Structures are given as C-alpha cells and as structure tokens.
C-alpha cells in the first residue's frame, strides 16, 4: 500500500498534544481536579455525543450551526457534545431525582464546536468543570468563584483577572426599556464591544424611562465600585436589576472573607454567552490569550427543563486556553521526571524483571529495555534525556547494576 503523507496531519480545528506539552497538560489537569476534590466535588462522566434536543435552541446553549451533527441507525439526530452543563442537568434529573440536598459534581471532557478556520480557534477543546446543584445561596456563588481563583493561582498564573457580572442587570434593564428581540440583539453586540456611542444612537429614537436610557448608555463602562452602584440605584427602579446589584454586593463581601478580591473586577456591563444563565456570571482572562481561561455562572432554570427544578452554579476551566496563558507568561510547569529505564542484556533478563517489579511495587515508574548490541550506553543516555527520564539503570553481563542520572 502506498504511503500518503497527508495522513500525518490533522483536520482543521484539532491538534495533537505530545511530549513535554502533554506532560504539562496532565500536571495542570490533575492539579485542578485535586483542588475540586478538596472542595468536596465528586466525579461524573457523560458521553461524548447526545441527542440533539439536549442542546437545542430552547436550552440556550450553542447555536445549531456550530454543532457537529450526525445520525444513528434509527435516524435520530445526534451531536458531539458542545457544552457539558445541559448534560449534567440531564444526569441530575435522572440519577439524583430524589436528592433534595446540595450536590457537588465535577467532570473532565472534550467539547466540540464548529469554528471556522479564520477564527483561529480549536473546534475540540478540553474542559474541567464543577457544579453546585440544589443551592441557591450567594454563598455557593462565592465559593465557586473562590474555587476558580484558587485553581488559577495554583497553576502558577500571576497576572489574571476574574470579571464578575450578573445576567439580571441586562435582562431587567431591557425589559424595562421595552426593546424588541432585534433591538436587544444589536444592543448586546454594542455592549459586548464596549461601544457606548452605538448604544446611545440605537436608543435615541426609543421612548423609555430616562434613567434606564442613561444606565444602558453607560453600561459598557460601568464597574461595580461604590460610585457606579450609586449611579445605577439612583436611576433605576426595576426590581430584577436592583436585586442583581444587591447580589453582587453580597458576593463581594463573601469574596472579601475568602481574601480573594485581589483578582476580581465587578462589571455591570458583562453579558452572558449562554442564554441559560440567570444570575452571577464570570470569566477569567490573562495576558497572552484572547479567550477566557475559565468561566461560569448561575443557571437556576435549566434543570427544570429536564424535570427537576433545582438551582445550580458552575465553573469550567478551558484547559487549552489556560495552557496557552501559562506558556505566554513563561510559567514553568514542573513535570515529575520519575521514570527509570532498566537496560539489560538478555543473560540478565530475570534480574531486570525482578528489579522492575520491586520498583513498581514501591510506586516508582520503571520500564524495561533489552540492550541492542549495536548501540552504546551513551546513545541510551541521550535517549533518556530526550524522554525526560529520572535514571538509567544498566545491568551488565555480570549482573552488576550501574545507575546513571540523566
């Protein structure tokens, strides 16, 4: 069979991770998972593909044209998982239907969103997430934010910021303003791009409360310091907007108790990417990557769509973006170089096998390799350096063991 060189390459939107990069990737993944376990989260594993309706438009998740779709033998439309949160909601409704107390679940898995090549984004990304289900309190919000900040700090990042907002601020304002769907869509775009002039022009011909208009125009640049909060409160009487601001003030007090405010910015103009978010929303950013490295929020209505009406709040770490950020900041991810190569001649195979068993029983990774007579010890040492090995232990013809640190 003729060899086709193009088969060595991956399709657009996906990539291989190997060598030291893969080892660093696993170190950060294990660190985040360990931190989640310390906070009381326990694993759940969901499938890579689901029925399309799990992620349909009504759920407020990824647009249909960005999903990877295919059909099973019964002609059901299936999709590769674009988002973990609806899956978690489905699982809780099915397997924890009788649980009325708090649940803490965490997961690791890949998501698949069809991004065009000019966007420069991967279509397959790895996510590590955690969900607190059955707890509507601001304390749950604060603890989820604390977990996010703690994990990012322990990854080695120094310069990062967690922007915190509330979905109820924008939702309450646009309802009070009486905007239609198309106007809301345009307004979202302008606010996301911090374009106050475009917001002012859009609202100039609309009849609405002057205070609401003034707040909407300022929304792209309003951060939740005391002066800004006072500015909004003096101009808005909408209950949902005011309740959202009060919630953010409470969360700020909780984060202060955790000593986590150094990395937090409260942004009243922050908008939720997923429509299912109902309360606090947040995204973490750092230099060197345009994408968020972590995000999350409260989604109190999603669970009811699967038959179990429970409040919930979650966080997800976008591992690919986080690794890019660590590389950009030149953060050294310490990977344990623990492997020991046991090199032996065939006459001492059993000695090598016994040594490997002993090391493995002690928890020390070790692997065996019979020495090729045509290769020198120096060549094996160079191989050990390329592999990032801890030691090379050579058993010669006499059974003597020589240890080389590589």
């Amino acid at each position: 069979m003729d060899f086709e060189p193009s088969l060595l390459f991956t399709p657009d939107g996906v990539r291989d991770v190997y060598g030291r990069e893969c080892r660093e990737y696993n170190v950060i993944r294990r660190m985040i998972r360990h931190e989640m376990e310390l906070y009381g989260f326990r694993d759940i594993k969901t499938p890579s593909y689901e029925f399309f309706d799990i992620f349909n438009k009504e759920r407020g998740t990824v647009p249909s044209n960005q999903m990877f779709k295919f059909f099973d033998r019964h002609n059901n439309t299936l999709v590769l998982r674009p988002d973990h949160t609806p899956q978690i909601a489905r699982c809780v409704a099915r397997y924890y239907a009788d649980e009325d107390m708090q649940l803490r679940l965490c997961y690791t898995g890949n998501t698949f969103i069809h991004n065009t090549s000019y966007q420069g984004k991967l279509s397959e990304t790895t996510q590590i997430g955690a969900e607190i289900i059955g707890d509507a309190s601001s304390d749950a919000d604060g603890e989820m934010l604390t977990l996010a900040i703690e994990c990012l700090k322990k990854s080695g990042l120094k310069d990062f910021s967690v922007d915190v907002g509330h979905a109820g601020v924008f939702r309450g304002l646009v309802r009070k303003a009486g905007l239609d769907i198309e106007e809301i869509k345009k307004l979202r775009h302008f606010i996301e791009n911090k374009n106050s002039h475009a917001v002012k022009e859009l609202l100039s011909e609309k009849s609405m409360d002057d205070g609401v208009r003034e707040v909407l125009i300022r929304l792209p640049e309003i951060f939740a310091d005391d002066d800004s909060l006072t500015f909004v409160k003096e101009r808005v009487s909408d209950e949902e907007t005011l309740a959202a601001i009060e919630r953010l003030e409470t969360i700020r007090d909780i984060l202060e108790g955790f000593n986590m405010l150094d990395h937090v910015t409260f942004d009243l103009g922050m908008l939720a990417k997923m429509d299912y978010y109902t309360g606090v929303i947040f995204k973490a950013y750092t230099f060197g990557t345009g994408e968020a490295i972590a995000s999350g929020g409260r989604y109190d209505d999603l669970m009811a769509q699967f038959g179990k009406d429970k409040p919930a709040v979650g966080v997800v770490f976008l591992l690919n973006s986080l690794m890019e950020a660590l590389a950009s900041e030149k953060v050294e991810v310490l990977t344990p170089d623990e492997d020991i190569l046991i090199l032996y001649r065939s006459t001492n195979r059993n000695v090598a096998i016994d040594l490997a068993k002993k090391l493995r029983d002690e928890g020390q990774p070790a692997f065996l390799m019979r020495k090729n007579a045509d290769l020198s010890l120096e060549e094996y040492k160079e191989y050990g350096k390329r592999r990032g090995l801890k030691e090379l232990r050579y058993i010669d013809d006499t059974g003597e063991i020589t240890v080389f640190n590589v």
Side-chain angles (χ1 to χ4, degrees):
M1 182 181 294
D2 293 335
F3 168 64
E4 177 55 60
S6 64
L7 294 177
L8 297 177
F9 298 92
T10 60
D12 285 344
V14 295
R15 64 182 290 261
D16 300 312
V17 181
Y18 62 96
R20 181 172 182 82
E21 181 186 6
C22 194
R23 295 199 299 274
E24 293 177 349
Y25 178 103
N26 285 329
V27 167
I28 297 300
R29 176 179 56 82
R30 286 193 291 265
M31 180 278 296
I32 293 174
R33 292 304 303 278
H34 177 65
E35 195 68 19
M36 288 178 175
E37 290 173 1
L38 293 178
Y39 277 67
F41 292 92
R42 294 298 175 259
D43 277 314
I44 187 168
K45 188 176 185 301
T46 57
S48 297
Y49 61 88
E50 294 257 14
F51 292 117
F52 168 73
D53 284 346
I54 297 294
F55 306 100
N56 65 23
K57 183 179 179 181
E58 288 69 29
R59 310 255 185 256
T61 183
V62 176
S64 174
N65 63 358
Q66 294 181 13
M67 299 184 198
F68 287 88
K69 305 185 191 73
F70 56 103
F71 301 94
D72 66 11
R73 60 183 177 179
H74 304 295
N75 211 33
N76 294 308
T77 303
L78 308 176
V79 295
L80 291 177
R81 171 180 55 217
D83 181 13
H84 282 89
T85 305
Q87 284 190 308
I88 302 300
R90 175 187 61 76
C91 287
V92 169
R94 181 176 181 184
Y95 303 114
Y96 298 94
D98 297 328
E99 180 56 74
D100 294 324
M101 300 293 284
Q102 187 193 88
L103 286 170
R104 293 191 175 217
L105 302 174
C106 61
Y107 59 84
T108 300
N110 289 4
T111 57
F112 305 85
I113 299 176
H114 184 71
N115 293 306
T116 54
S117 57
Y118 71 83
Q119 290 177 306
K121 298 178 182 178
L122 290 173
S123 295
E124 180 185 18
T125 58
T126 301
Q127 297 186 349
I128 308 172
E131 317 284 342
I132 297 178
I133 297 159
D135 190 335
S137 71
S138 54
D139 293 81
D141 296 343
E143 189 168 10
M144 195 60 80
L145 278 159
T146 299
L147 172 65
I149 297 166
E150 195 67 52
C151 286
L152 293 177
K153 288 169 67 175
K154 289 191 175 179
S155 75
L157 282 180
K158 297 291 190 296
D159 297 321
F160 69 89
S161 174
V162 180
D163 297 343
V164 182
H166 196 293
V169 173
F170 181 75
R171 189 171 54 238
L173 287 171
V174 296
R175 185 180 61 249
K176 190 73 173 177
L179 302 179
D180 61 33
I181 294 176
E182 282 303 312
E183 289 168 336
I184 292 173
K185 185 176 179 180
K186 290 180 182 178
L187 183 61
R188 286 182 63 92
H189 175 74
F190 295 147
I191 291 175
E192 284 173 345
N193 288 278
K194 304 298 183 184
N195 190 342
S196 296
H197 296 292
V199 173
K200 184 176 182 179
E201 184 177 350
L202 175 67
L203 301 180
S204 62
E205 302 299 325
K206 294 292 296 182
S207 176
M208 66 180 70
D209 180 88
D210 288 339
V212 172
R213 187 198 312 275
E214 193 174 354
V215 170
L216 281 171
I217 292 171
R218 286 275 306 276
L219 202 58
E221 58 192 40
I222 294 180
F223 295 92
D225 55 37
D226 291 336
D227 291 340
S228 295
L229 293 179
T230 300
F231 170 83
V232 176
K233 290 176 181 179
E234 288 177 347
R235 288 160 178 79
V236 175
S237 59
D238 175 72
E239 290 184 6
E240 184 173 14
T241 302
L242 294 177
I245 291 173
E246 183 179 345
R247 181 79 165 208
L248 289 177
E249 290 176 313
T250 303
I251 291 171
R252 184 174 60 183
D253 292 341
I254 293 170
L255 291 176
E256 186 174 16
F258 278 109
N259 196 27
M260 289 292 172
L261 284 179
D262 288 350
H263 291 280
V264 175
T265 300
F266 288 89
D267 183 358
L268 295 188
M270 186 178 180
L271 303 181
K273 181 179 180 181
M274 300 298 188
D275 289 341
Y276 53 66
Y277 284 123
T278 58
V280 64
I281 48 178
F282 57 90
K283 292 182 181 179
Y285 293 96
T286 187
F287 301 107
T289 174
E291 296 296 307
I293 54 178
S295 65
R298 176 163 288 282
Y299 52 99
D300 287 346
D301 298 336
L302 181 62
M303 210 74 63
Q305 297 182 40
F306 295 94
K308 187 174 178 65
D309 191 5
K310 285 289 181 183
V313 61
V315 62
V316 61
F317 295 90
L318 310 169
L319 195 54
N320 303 74
S321 296
L322 177 55
M323 297 309 298
E324 287 180 17
L326 291 170
S328 178
E329 280 197 21
K330 294 182 171 50
V331 174
E332 183 181 5
V333 179
L334 298 178
T335 58
D337 297 329
E338 296 179 343
D339 291 355
I340 292 177
L341 166 60
I342 300 172
L343 187 66
Y344 64 94
R345 303 296 293 269
S346 57
T347 53
N348 282 298
R349 180 182 295 112
N350 290 337
V351 176
I353 290 172
D354 289 342
L355 177 57
K357 285 181 177 178
K358 180 177 182 296
L359 290 170
R360 292 167 186 162
D361 287 344
E362 294 171 353
Q364 169 63 60
F367 67 100
L368 297 164
M369 187 180 296
R370 194 177 79 182
K371 188 178 183 303
N372 187 326
D374 295 330
L375 298 178
S376 67
L377 269 176
E378 289 304 315
E379 288 175 289
Y380 281 101
K381 290 178 187 178
E382 289 301 318
Y383 165 75
K385 290 178 182 178
R386 294 196 301 272
R387 278 286 307 268
L389 301 181
K390 176 183 178 181
E391 291 177 358
L392 184 156
R393 298 190 183 185
Y394 176 53
I395 307 174
D396 63 20
D397 289 335
T398 68
E400 183 178 350
I401 301 174
T402 306
V403 178
F404 299 96
N405 294 315
V406 294

